[in-house]
Amino acid sequence: MDNLLKFGIPKGSLEEATVELFRKAGWRITTASRSYFPSVDDDEMKCSLIRPQEMGRYVERGTIDVGIAGRDWVRESDSDVVEICEMVYSKVSRGTVRWVLVVKDDSRVRSPEDLRGGTISTELVGFTQRYFAERNIPVTVEFSWGATEAKVVEGLCDAIVEVTETGSTIRANGLRIVCDLMESLPVMIANRKAWEDPWKRVKIEQIATLLQSTLRAEGMVGLKMNAPGDRVAAITGILPSLNNPTVAHLHNSDWVSIETILPEMKVRSIVPELMKLGAEGIVEYPLNKII
């Protein structure tokens, strides 16, 4: 196999966030409005924009070697691929989304079994069919072309399977979640033959490591300061860190330099406390990666 990795960038809601994630990880990907083949400043990579709903199929066939898509769409296509790692980010909350079974608030349905013989509308047809078949619950599953919530409100189906992050829109429409069917988040997936190729595997692992290190750095900052040597215990006692703060003695001085990594939101409350304890020259700096 040649030394060129074909990478699928998810087109749509995750596209911009994925390009930005790559930028922070060290790759500059440039998209154009009329092209499905973004340029990338890496001669060992070729990128394609692919709908997440189709990513699993293209990776399974080997049309592309590796890509990022929601686990829900990989399961929907029932693709035989290697899941490399989770990529915990999303358009709104950078967390998981849920596919839920939803009915009208006054429905008699309290569990999936109560839908026996009923009709369900959803975009996730294949997964939903398998979910109910595995539980021996006969239902009719219809593909929804949009406005899925309206279908159950108007009585066009008995229930829907819909994606949500908070459930607020579902509740606002007078609907009720019966149960969760699946949690999903973006995952990196690879073609099995590409994963078995030594060069491509190393390249995939390199990309996965740097992308995940970028995600770990989200919301984190570095903080360093100088302090009297006799205040080290008091200062390090209030400093959060990944392991332990770094303490180094200043040249020809009784003072020390202290450095740590912490959530950015904690800086505003901890800096005044550090100053009270004698810390000076406090510097906050951004992080791109935590490896």
Side-chain angles (χ1 to χ4, degrees):
M1 301 180 76
D2 59 341
N3 289 355
L4 181 68
L5 189 74
K6 295 172 288 186
F7 201 105
I9 303 294
K11 184 173 177 59
S13 63
L14 286 178
E15 180 181 337
E16 184 177 340
T18 302
V19 170
E20 176 63 12
L21 181 64
F22 267 94
R23 185 192 67 78
K24 291 181 178 179
W27 284 271
R28 188 169 297 278
I29 296 174
T30 305
T31 59
S33 59
R34 297 185 180 182
S35 174
Y36 284 88
F37 303 100
S39 62
V40 56
D41 61 345
D42 186 337
D43 293 338
E44 297 176 342
M45 284 179 64
K46 178 182 178 181
C47 292
S48 302
L49 286 176
I50 297 175
R51 289 286 179 186
Q53 295 90 331
E54 301 175 304
M55 190 74 74
R57 294 201 305 271
Y58 285 123
V59 171
E60 180 181 16
R61 294 173 189 167
T63 307
I64 57 174
D65 299 310
V66 61
I68 295 174
R71 183 179 282 149
D72 46 4
W73 295 116
V74 178
R75 291 186 179 177
E76 167 67 7
S77 62
D78 202 21
S79 300
D80 182 19
V81 296
V82 180
E83 184 175 307
I84 307 302
C85 61
E86 296 179 344
M87 309 294 295
V88 187
Y89 69 104
S90 71
K91 182 175 63 175
V92 178
S93 69
R94 292 192 175 269
T96 60
V97 296
R98 302 149 55 207
W99 283 90
V100 293
L101 183 64
V102 177
V103 296
K104 291 176 67 173
D105 194 43
D106 60 358
S107 170
R108 63 172 181 80
V109 175
R110 298 291 168 180
S111 69
E113 288 75 15
D114 294 335
L115 279 165
R116 189 176 298 272
T119 300
I120 300 171
S121 184
T122 182
E123 290 181 85
L124 211 66
V125 173
F127 172 82
T128 302
Q129 288 174 332
R130 291 191 297 272
Y131 178 91
F132 281 89
E134 288 167 1
R135 290 157 180 79
N136 296 315
I137 305 171
V139 294
T140 299
V141 181
E142 299 177 340
F143 180 77
S144 173
W145 292 94
T148 307
E149 291 164 340
K151 291 180 173 64
V152 71
V153 171
E154 296 298 323
L156 301 178
C157 59
D158 299 295
I160 62 174
V161 172
E162 182 68 328
V163 66
T164 183
E165 289 196 83
T166 66
S168 58
T169 302
I170 290 172
R171 292 189 294 272
N173 282 285
L175 304 176
R176 171 169 50 84
I177 295 175
V178 176
C179 64
D180 289 16
L181 303 191
M182 170 176 50
E183 281 192 346
S184 179
L185 72 168
V187 292
M188 183 182 293
I189 56 174
N191 173 268
R192 292 196 176 277
K193 288 185 178 180
W195 186 242
E196 292 169 0
D197 176 79
W199 183 88
K200 290 191 175 183
R201 183 163 183 160
V202 169
K203 186 71 175 179
I204 293 168
E205 289 175 337
Q206 174 201 21
I207 294 171
T209 295
L210 292 175
L211 291 183
Q212 287 191 304
S213 72
T214 299
L215 289 171
R216 280 194 290 271
E218 288 284 336
M220 304 292 284
V221 296
L223 200 67
K224 58 183 177 180
M225 68 211 74
N226 294 332
D230 61 358
R231 307 313 304 271
V232 171
I235 289 174
T236 57
I238 68 168
L239 280 178
S241 65
L242 292 180
N243 294 305
N244 291 306
T246 299
V247 179
H249 286 278
L250 301 182
H251 183 61
N252 290 333
S253 173
D254 293 332
W255 281 56
V256 298
S257 172
I258 302 174
E259 190 165 3
T260 191
I261 294 173
L262 71 164
E264 184 178 14
M265 62 182 297
K266 291 188 176 181
V267 173
R268 62 192 181 201
S269 60
I270 205 168
V271 165
E273 297 299 317
L274 293 172
M275 294 175 65
K276 289 179 183 178
L277 292 172
E280 297 181 3
I282 302 172
V283 177
E284 176 188 339
Y285 54 90
L287 301 173
N288 275 343
K289 305 177 189 71
I290 298 177
I291 301 175

